[in-house]
Amino acid sequence: MNLDNSGRQRSIATRLAKAGLQAPDVAVSQLEKCVPLLEHEEFIDELSLAADPDVALDSTLAWFANADARLQSRLLDEAGLRARWIEIAGTSLALAQFCIKHPAEILTISDNGLWQERATRQDMVQRLLDSVNAKWSDGRWVAEADNDHTLDALRIAYRRELLAIAARDVCALEPLERVSLGLSNLADAVIETALAIAWSSVNPETPRCKIAVIAMGKCGGRELNYISDVDVIFVAEPFEDATGFNEEATRLASRLMQVCEVPTGEGSIWQVDAALRPEGKAGALVRSLDGHKSYYERWAQTWEFQALLKAREMAGDAELGRTYVDAMLPYVWEAAQRPNFVADVQAMRQRVVENIPAKELEREIKLGIGGLRDVEFAVQLLQLVHGRSDVMLRSSNTLEALEALANWGYVGREDAASLATVYRFERTLEHRIQMHLMRRTHLLPEEDADLRRLGKSMGFRNDPADELMSQWRKKKHHARRLHEKLFYRPLLQAVVRLDASDARLSLDAAHDRLKALGFLDPESALRHLAALSTGVSRRAAIQRTLLPVMLDWMSQTPKPDAGLLAFRRVSDALGATPWYLRLLRDDSAVAERMAQLLCISPYVTDMLMRAPEAVNLLASEESLHPKSAESLSSEMASVAGRSESAADAVNAIRSIRQRELIRIACADLLDVIDVQQVGAALSDLADATLQISLEAVLENFWTDREKSLEIALIGLGRLGGRELNYRSDADVCFVYAPINEHPKAGSDAVMIISQLQQLLAQPGNDPSFELDMDLRPEGRQGAVVRTLDSYAAYYQRWSLTWESQALLRARAIAGDPTLGDQFISMIDALRYPEGGLSAEQLRDIRRIKARVESERLPRGVDPALHVKLGPGGISDVEWTVQLLQLQHAQEITSLQTTETLSGLKAAEQAGLISDEDREILTAAWLEASDIRNVMTLSHSGTGDSIPTQPEVARLVGYIHGRVSAAVLVENYRRLTRRARAVMERHVYGTVIEEQYP
């Protein structure tokens, strides 16, 4: 460099700052004391690899000061060794200090030293035994001596293995599962070696006992942390009835624990925790096999059986260890039959959370809400419940068990994958926290510098601390949601995994549980469950997995019995279809939506029975949004164009209509769309159905005859207003125009209309679509179709006030667009009369309104509960709007709309109605319209009155707004009382009288 010293220092400081050092100027002065590192071309830039570059630099300088020239050269020359060292030193100060104290140990992570085989159990055990010069004697390993030198040798060998595992971990050479396995194998090796040391001082000659160490907890599951208590249980048996064997075994166990825990010049290893033994810390440290059996048969609590799920032979006499595990497993898989088993497990998890200090709750990775224990408890509960009869679930490892639960249908694949992702993230986070000082902790640090180091070690580079905390919060929230979903399933093996020999006892428990869940007929429910889940088929296995949570969702609705019956009907129809149960199993949202819909809507259930493939619509909220009119028309035109006849075309069109009706109804019931959107979606569907069906009929009709006319379909009533409900007929009229005064035009038009009417009304999978032409001139007595001139002549000579009112909703929908527009232009003068209504026409409207209320209301119903014709109901609102249109639309063009709420808005903007009155009428109309739809979807009667039967009213209230029947009626009466007062002022009272004094 041709720079002066200060310039050179600035250049180095800049590079150090770019590498992430917090105090680059200080680092420069430190580096100047170590020329080989300062002049190394890559070292300074490589410090950016470290989670904490400052610590990595300090540790490297300290190591350099202790290492000989040969080791220094190795570090400077070997890029792989140097990179791994920087990552280790920047992540784990404890391991860096081990290498500083023993410089040659850095070669453990060299290219030649870092072998994958180092994590294998057998080689690792042998290396640690060799470190204390252990020999095989009388069926056990015995160390050369039990002294400080031996203990130091064990600690050095332990940390050497730990260093290799950590290097493969932080350098991403091994996944979490291999890291945890390596740590568990290392624990086995330490315990085996500690036992060999214990033998050398307790009885190096002829042993009186054989002893086995049983791994429990995370070590038992081969998923150990870097620093964790190693949970164990000791079991011993005498050699040939030797006396004093238990005393010898106890001394061995005690010394083994001391060997691992006692501090020496090389520190300690970790604590050996035997608190999971029978009677805990108050119990005997060592028991015979029969002593263990006796305890678990008579005294053990639920949590102790859960703990045994992780038991595996670890060290000592391998045959005795395997015998112990084999003897204990039956107790594990019978635990689910214990009284209150599920409640006990759930309560134990809750107690763990409650015992966390409040100031630590949000930082607790292991025990806190959404932490590792949430994942582990959920998996273990499912294992203990289902593993009794399914040996494929009997793994002591959390991730392996979770994979098995997913593979065999007990957990959805997506849920299992998400839970595994969360678990791996949290376990890795826990590892990184512990690695820093090799201390046992599960708390996120509070200091920014610690969080920054931790975040970088987890792979977050832009803003490590904030990115880490953001991911941690998301992950634990996701873990908690999945934990609650899996951990609190309501109905377990009592119903869905019955064995024939257990049927009598289990059915009683299932009966009570179903009754508690709200099923009114538990006997019928049990029959449905048995039909769905009995057998060894894949279908039955998945049903057994689905049913517990399905029952829980059903129990949250007013009619779980109906839902279970409907689920059985749909499943019987679709069970052999491979995608159906797979969809429900893999996507819990679909299953939840389906459970709710089947419980509350016979309308949807009936439609699904006719078109079961429509279950796919429940896959996402996006798939439930109604299709646009253009999209529907395009799809219908496509299927109609491939049909050979008009009948085939209309059938294909109606199949699409059926699917879309299911989509709209499901979206409505699941609150994806509101009542206005329902009306618009049903109207778009009706428009497309009429448009493409008429085109198909016309194309077929003119195939072998001369075209004699053009024809247009005009929508009236709720169809014209784009406010259809699920029960609406299509109010229409037809207009035709002869071509060249063709003599057959009139008869052809009638034939076309008749064919269209017949094809749409015939029975099919979708509800029939009746064409109602009663609003045509002269009603049912009049001609089915007229020419434009005939309509004009009739309206000019004979039209009544009510017909002008009916034409307010006229809208051209299908057929020849020019002819349709001509019809609309022709009637505009009639429905938007110049000068508004005469006094006589006003009296006619009032008279007709009164007659409708008195004559068309069904006998015996409470008028206040009739949503269409009752006070303040749909009719009151629509008559108010229509009267304003008849009076003012000719001069206020914004009133020239077929839609009720649009007309109300236009009237308010024009000053014809106050904002308060508009809001009252709008709220009443929306409330009444939605309740009317709900009564159709729930099959709560065929009329338009809010039901008074408690059970039916409760269902309507639940669907309408998750409210009680009483609240439903109270809200409706309140809204409609106010709407009635507004209507009376505008139709009968003071407002109208000001215009007609």
Side-chain angles (χ1 to χ4, degrees):
M1 291 183 186
N2 294 320
L3 294 171
D4 60 20
N5 190 52
S6 67
R8 181 171 178 269
Q9 287 178 332
R10 285 197 300 273
S11 174
I12 295 171
T14 299
R15 290 174 62 195
L16 289 167
K18 288 182 179 179
L21 276 83
Q22 299 299 304
D25 294 331
V26 175
V28 171
S29 62
Q30 292 175 324
L31 268 172
E32 287 179 333
K33 299 174 184 177
C34 185
V35 175
L37 287 176
L38 180 65
E39 295 182 349
H40 193 278
E41 293 184 359
E42 299 172 350
F43 173 72
I44 291 175
D45 298 327
E46 288 173 341
L47 287 172
S48 63
L49 296 171
D52 190 331
D54 294 273
V55 172
L57 176 59
D58 290 344
S59 298
T60 306
L61 291 169
W63 178 86
F64 228 82
N66 285 356
D68 59 31
R70 180 183 64 85
L71 291 172
Q72 292 176 356
S73 297
R74 290 284 299 270
L75 183 66
L76 293 172
D77 295 342
E78 296 181 19
L81 171 62
R82 195 169 57 252
R84 286 189 284 274
W85 162 252
I86 289 172
E87 290 205 52
I88 281 288
T91 302
S92 176
L93 181 61
L95 288 174
Q97 289 173 341
F98 169 67
C99 290
I100 292 168
K101 185 175 182 179
H102 304 282
E105 296 299 340
I106 198 174
L107 299 181
T108 300
I109 60 174
S110 67
D111 292 339
N112 292 329
L114 196 69
W115 297 330
Q116 295 289 330
E117 289 75 15
R118 295 184 74 90
T120 62
R121 183 179 186 278
Q122 183 176 355
D123 290 344
M124 195 178 288
V125 170
Q126 191 61 55
R127 283 194 294 271
L128 262 67
L129 288 169
D130 290 345
S131 72
V132 298
N133 297 318
K135 306 298 181 184
W136 184 256
S137 173
D138 294 322
R140 76 264 161 82
W141 289 99
V142 181
E144 185 176 47
D146 182 354
N147 53 37
D148 287 347
H149 175 76
T150 302
L151 298 188
D152 284 344
L154 172 59
R155 281 150 176 72
I156 292 171
Y158 161 73
R159 285 185 174 81
R160 181 183 304 125
E161 301 290 342
L162 192 65
L163 177 63
I165 294 170
R168 289 193 291 270
D169 182 5
V170 300
C171 298
L173 300 178
E174 284 187 339
L176 171 71
E177 292 90 323
R178 287 284 299 172
V179 171
S180 293
L181 176 62
L183 292 169
S184 301
N185 289 341
L186 179 54
D188 290 5
V190 169
I191 294 294
E192 189 75 75
T193 307
L195 181 59
I197 294 172
W199 273 117
S200 70
S201 60
V202 172
N203 184 357
E205 304 303 329
T206 304
R208 294 196 295 273
C209 73
K210 50 185 177 180
I211 186 171
V213 186
I214 308 300
M216 304 288 285
K218 287 187 177 297
C219 189
R222 298 189 185 279
E223 49 196 11
L224 197 63
N225 300 326
Y226 280 92
I227 294 294
S228 178
D229 291 348
V230 174
D231 296 307
V232 300
I233 287 176
F234 297 101
V235 58
E237 291 291 322
F239 272 122
E240 300 177 356
D241 297 324
T243 59
F245 85 93
N246 196 66
E247 178 186 356
E248 180 175 271
T250 301
R251 290 172 60 205
L252 283 168
S254 297
R255 183 55 188 157
L256 178 155
M257 297 169 71
Q258 292 169 359
V259 167
C260 297
E261 298 170 14
V262 66
T264 72
E266 295 294 337
S268 61
I269 301 179
W270 24 245
Q271 183 179 1
V272 179
D273 190 345
L276 293 179
R277 66 186 184 267
E279 300 181 83
K281 294 180 180 179
L285 183 60
V286 183
R287 292 178 186 239
S288 67
L289 185 58
D290 287 340
H292 280 280
K293 287 181 180 179
S294 176
Y295 174 82
Y296 285 112
E297 287 172 355
R298 300 181 62 187
W299 307 110
Q301 300 178 45
T302 299
W303 70 265
E304 293 177 278
F305 295 109
Q306 185 177 354
L308 280 174
L309 178 63
K310 299 285 189 181
R312 67 172 176 85
E313 67 274 14
M314 181 184 195
D317 191 285
E319 183 180 355
L320 176 58
R322 286 191 293 270
T323 302
Y324 174 89
V325 173
D326 291 343
M328 293 303 111
L329 283 180
Y331 299 121
V332 174
W333 305 117
E334 292 170 3
Q337 298 176 345
R338 293 168 63 89
N340 302 316
F341 166 75
V342 174
D344 286 347
V345 175
Q346 293 170 344
M348 181 167 58
R349 173 60 187 136
Q350 186 60 35
R351 284 196 299 272
V352 169
V353 174
E354 291 170 354
N355 289 330
I356 301 172
K359 64 180 182 180
E360 297 180 357
L361 185 60
E362 291 301 314
R363 298 189 295 121
E364 176 61 71
I365 297 170
K366 177 181 177 182
L367 304 178
I369 295 173
L372 291 164
R373 279 291 187 268
D374 272 356
V375 179
E376 292 164 354
F377 267 61
V379 170
Q380 289 168 23
L381 179 59
L382 291 174
Q383 283 184 278
L384 292 168
V385 169
H386 300 293
R388 178 174 60 90
S389 54
D390 193 338
V391 296
M392 303 305 294
L393 307 180
R394 297 182 179 183
S395 171
S396 62
N397 181 275
T398 301
L399 289 173
E400 289 178 2
L402 185 57
E403 182 179 5
L405 286 165
N407 288 341
W408 296 100
Y410 297 94
V411 176
R413 287 192 176 97
E414 182 177 341
D415 284 349
S418 297
L419 211 56
T421 299
V422 170
Y423 188 70
R424 289 187 177 96
F425 177 87
E426 293 183 339
R427 286 296 311 281
T428 303
L429 182 58
E430 183 183 40
H431 282 182
R432 295 293 186 270
I433 293 171
Q434 293 180 348
M435 285 174 68
H436 180 51
L437 298 175
M438 286 299 169
R439 290 180 182 169
R440 182 176 178 269
T441 178
H442 313 286
L443 293 177
L444 277 171
E446 296 181 285
E447 298 297 327
D448 289 341
D450 293 329
L451 286 173
R452 185 168 58 250
R453 182 198 70 251
L454 190 59
K456 287 188 70 175
S457 75
M458 292 290 291
F460 302 111
R461 293 290 172 173
N462 294 328
D463 190 348
D466 285 348
E467 290 178 42
L468 170 66
M469 294 306 295
S470 175
Q471 278 298 307
W472 155 238
R473 293 187 186 101
K474 289 178 183 177
K475 290 286 193 293
K476 71 175 182 176
H477 174 76
H478 195 51
R480 186 60 178 184
R481 183 183 66 80
L482 291 172
H483 165 82
E484 290 174 344
K485 175 180 176 181
L486 300 176
F487 196 58
Y488 294 102
R489 286 182 173 176
L491 190 63
L492 300 169
Q493 279 311 83
V495 176
V496 296
R497 297 286 291 191
L498 292 178
D499 295 327
S501 60
D502 299 331
R504 184 181 300 276
L505 176 62
S506 298
L507 285 174
D508 290 339
H511 180 282
D512 293 340
R513 192 63 183 274
L514 286 164
K515 194 170 184 179
L517 284 171
F519 285 81
L520 300 178
D521 188 355
E523 289 80 8
S524 294
L526 285 170
R527 288 194 294 272
H528 298 321
L529 291 171
L532 287 164
S533 62
T534 300
V536 296
S537 66
R538 181 68 172 168
R539 172 182 172 184
I542 296 177
Q543 291 281 25
R544 288 192 290 267
T545 306
L546 286 170
L547 282 168
V549 70
M550 293 286 284
L551 290 169
D552 183 35
W553 288 323
M554 291 175 182
S555 72
Q556 298 169 25
T557 70
K559 299 187 71 174
D561 297 82
L564 183 56
L565 172 60
F567 181 67
R568 179 181 175 183
R569 291 173 60 201
V570 173
S571 294
D572 286 346
L574 281 174
T577 308
W579 58 264
Y580 165 65
L581 289 176
R582 185 168 63 245
L583 175 66
L584 297 186
R585 180 198 61 199
D586 293 347
D587 192 336
S588 60
V590 175
E592 183 173 6
R593 292 180 183 121
M594 186 175 179
Q596 183 175 0
L597 292 168
L598 294 179
C599 287
I600 63 179
S601 180
Y603 180 94
V604 168
T605 300
D606 292 345
M607 295 279 277
L608 284 177
M609 290 296 298
R610 298 173 187 174
E613 69 279 358
V615 171
N616 279 306
L617 297 175
L618 304 178
S620 68
E621 188 170 303
E622 290 73 22
S623 65
L624 288 172
H625 282 283
K627 289 192 171 185
S628 66
E630 295 76 13
S631 176
L632 290 169
S633 296
S634 176
E635 184 179 6
M636 289 179 175
S638 177
V639 297
R642 297 192 295 269
S643 303
E644 296 182 357
S645 66
D648 290 342
V650 174
N651 283 337
I653 291 166
R654 288 181 62 182
S655 293
I656 296 173
R657 176 174 180 261
Q658 176 191 38
R659 182 199 67 205
E660 293 308 309
L661 284 173
I662 297 174
R663 189 196 307 271
I664 295 166
C666 292
D668 186 4
L669 289 162
L670 296 170
D671 295 327
V672 175
I673 56 177
D674 60 30
V675 64
Q676 279 186 274
Q677 293 169 311
V678 170
L682 290 171
S683 301
D684 285 343
L685 180 57
D687 287 1
T689 301
L690 292 169
Q691 175 192 350
I692 308 304
S693 294
L694 179 58
E695 290 177 3
V697 169
L698 288 171
E699 182 178 354
N700 181 77
F701 192 80
W702 301 129
T703 299
D704 54 1
R705 68 186 79 194
E706 181 183 4
K707 185 175 180 180
S708 63
L709 59 92
E710 298 290 352
I711 192 169
L713 182 153
I714 309 299
L716 300 165
R718 308 198 74 79
L719 173 63
R722 292 181 49 77
E723 297 162 351
L724 288 181
N725 58 54
Y726 296 103
R727 289 208 310 266
S728 296
D729 292 335
D731 290 314
V732 299
C733 65
F734 292 88
V735 57
Y736 78 99
I739 296 176
N740 298 325
E741 299 183 359
H742 199 291
K744 291 187 176 181
S747 60
D748 285 349
V750 172
M751 291 174 64
I752 289 167
I753 294 167
S754 176
Q755 186 177 2
L756 176 66
Q757 194 172 21
Q758 179 183 359
L759 291 175
L760 290 174
Q762 67 185 3
N765 284 337
D766 66 323
S768 62
F769 194 27
E770 303 283 349
L771 298 184
D772 188 340
M773 292 181 283
D774 288 354
L775 294 179
R776 67 184 185 267
E778 301 180 84
R780 294 181 183 179
Q781 308 304 318
V784 170
V785 62
R786 293 172 181 258
T787 64
L788 199 61
D789 290 341
S790 176
Y791 274 107
Y794 171 84
Y795 288 134
Q796 185 177 4
R797 296 183 61 189
W798 307 109
S799 175
L800 300 175
T801 304
W802 73 265
E803 291 178 290
S804 297
Q805 185 177 353
L807 290 172
L808 286 169
R809 291 186 165 195
R811 180 171 61 91
I813 290 177
D816 184 72
T818 302
L819 183 58
D821 290 343
Q822 290 173 345
F823 179 89
I824 296 301
S825 297
M826 181 267 296
I827 65 171
D828 276 351
L830 190 68
R831 60 181 178 170
Y832 309 136
E834 186 175 357
L837 294 171
S838 67
E840 179 63 29
Q841 288 173 321
L842 175 61
R843 283 192 291 272
D844 284 345
I845 286 177
R846 286 173 165 177
R847 186 167 49 251
I848 294 171
K849 179 76 171 76
R851 285 183 57 194
V852 166
E853 290 182 8
S854 63
E855 296 177 7
R856 293 182 60 188
L857 267 171
R859 291 183 179 181
V861 304
D862 182 351
L865 298 181
H866 199 280
V867 297
K868 180 180 180 182
L869 301 177
I874 294 171
S875 178
D876 273 4
V877 179
E878 292 175 349
W879 278 66
T880 303
V881 176
Q882 290 162 15
L883 180 57
L884 291 171
Q885 290 177 303
L886 289 168
Q887 290 173 297
H888 304 287
Q890 197 275 334
E891 57 187 28
I892 302 173
T893 56
S894 61
L895 283 170
Q896 296 178 12
T897 175
T898 64
E899 300 177 15
T900 300
L901 297 187
S902 296
L904 260 180
K905 182 66 176 176
E908 183 262 324
Q909 291 174 341
L912 301 176
I913 190 170
S914 70
D915 181 61
E916 181 182 3
D917 284 353
R918 180 190 63 80
E919 289 181 356
I920 290 171
L921 293 178
T922 298
W925 189 89
L926 291 173
E927 182 84 354
S929 298
D930 190 55
I931 291 174
R932 196 180 192 197
N933 281 339
V934 166
M935 289 191 290
T936 300
L937 293 173
S938 63
H939 284 185
S940 299
T942 57
D944 291 310
S945 285
I946 297 175
T948 56
Q949 305 95 318
E951 182 179 344
V952 180
R954 185 168 62 252
L955 178 60
V956 173
Y958 176 87
I959 300 174
H960 175 61
R962 304 299 188 266
V963 297
S964 66
V967 171
L968 171 73
V969 171
E970 179 184 352
N971 288 343
Y972 180 76
R973 287 182 183 272
R974 175 175 50 80
L975 287 170
T976 53
R977 275 197 302 269
R978 300 177 69 192
R980 180 66 174 188
V982 174
M983 185 280 292
E984 288 179 343
R985 287 202 311 275
H986 284 272
V987 176
Y988 296 119
T990 56
V991 175
I992 197 70
E993 293 298 345
E994 291 174 1
Q995 300 172 44
Y996 292 89

